Amino acid sequence: ASVTVTNTYAPQYQTLTVTKMVGGEMGSYEQDFTFTLHLTKDDATYTGDDITGTKSLLNGTGTVLGGVTKITEGDTTYYQFTLKHNQKIEIQIPYGCVAEVEEANGNYTAESVLDTSTNKGGATVTGINMSTDHKVAYTNTLDPVAPTGLESNHTTPYVLMITAAGMAGLALIGGIVARCIRRRREW
């Protein structure tokens, strides 16, 4: 009789690398951006204490203080970390977990890229299967806004008000011109 044994190697941890860049004329290179990491394994929230991360400079060498903090609120467990411009964190995540990374970006326009994907996302990257190493690159930009009080996503009411005010001004000027012409004819 013969026995066949097949061993399949699965690493205990995979590495999720999150990088941070800031751009735009108003972008702050010193601001901490908070990231939230949600993990699931076997369709349940992962609650392990073994999630570790090492921060360093993105360009160059040097370790940066900080890592990953586990937060439990009721039945919800998640992990948080912060990054500044030109920093990265390498997080050791148990093999087989599915990760979701969400950035609190404030007024910045967020763009994210998973691995070398050409599909660019926003502040949240979902469905990262940690059966292999992955990289998520975040770039936030903040450009100056003209001091009109107009926001690009809420302009319609303001445009209507400005148009109505402009038309009222034209009507007023037209009335003044008509009155001046009438007075000249009466002389």
Side-chain angles (χ1 to χ4, degrees):
S2 66
V3 175
T4 303
V5 176
T6 304
N7 291 329
T8 304
Y9 172 75
Q12 188 175 359
Y13 294 97
Q14 296 294 80
T15 302
L16 176 64
T17 303
V18 180
T19 63
K20 179 74 193 159
M21 295 297 288
V22 175
E25 293 179 35
M26 301 291 291
S28 171
Y29 297 137
E30 297 303 317
Q31 179 176 343
D32 279 318
F33 292 87
T34 301
F35 292 83
T36 302
L37 173 66
H38 297 275
L39 296 175
T40 57
K41 189 168 186 178
D42 301 325
D43 297 325
T45 299
Y46 186 80
T47 59
D49 291 325
D50 55 345
I51 305 300
T52 60
T54 304
K55 286 194 329 188
S56 60
L57 298 176
L58 182 59
N59 298 319
T61 59
T63 302
V64 179
L65 293 177
V68 178
T69 302
K70 178 182 177 181
I71 299 172
T72 302
E73 296 175 345
D75 294 338
T76 305
T77 298
Y78 55 93
Y79 306 86
Q80 281 190 332
F81 57 93
T82 61
L83 292 175
K84 292 180 182 179
H85 170 72
N86 196 34
Q87 289 184 348
K88 70 178 177 180
I89 188 166
E90 294 175 333
I91 305 169
Q92 300 301 308
I93 297 177
Y95 180 87
C97 280
V98 176
E100 173 183 305
V101 181
E102 181 179 4
E103 178 194 30
N105 57 0
N107 295 333
Y108 287 78
T109 301
E111 185 178 278
S112 58
V113 177
L114 176 60
D115 296 322
T116 58
S117 172
T118 56
N119 295 327
K120 295 180 179 170
T124 304
V125 180
T126 61
I128 307 170
N129 187 338
M130 294 307 299
S131 58
T132 185
D133 293 343
H134 288 285
K135 295 179 181 179
V136 179
Y138 278 91
T139 303
N140 288 7
T141 55
L142 183 61
D143 289 314
V145 178
T148 61
L150 302 179
E151 293 182 27
S152 63
N153 56 349
H154 302 293
T155 58
T156 304
Y158 298 109
V159 170
L160 292 175
M161 288 186 331
I162 290 170
T163 303
M167 293 182 75
L170 287 175
L172 179 63
I173 291 171
I176 292 171
V177 169
R179 184 180 298 161
C180 288
I181 292 173
R182 193 173 336 134
R183 283 189 182 168
R184 279 193 172 171
R185 287 184 185 164
E186 290 176 2
W187 280 26

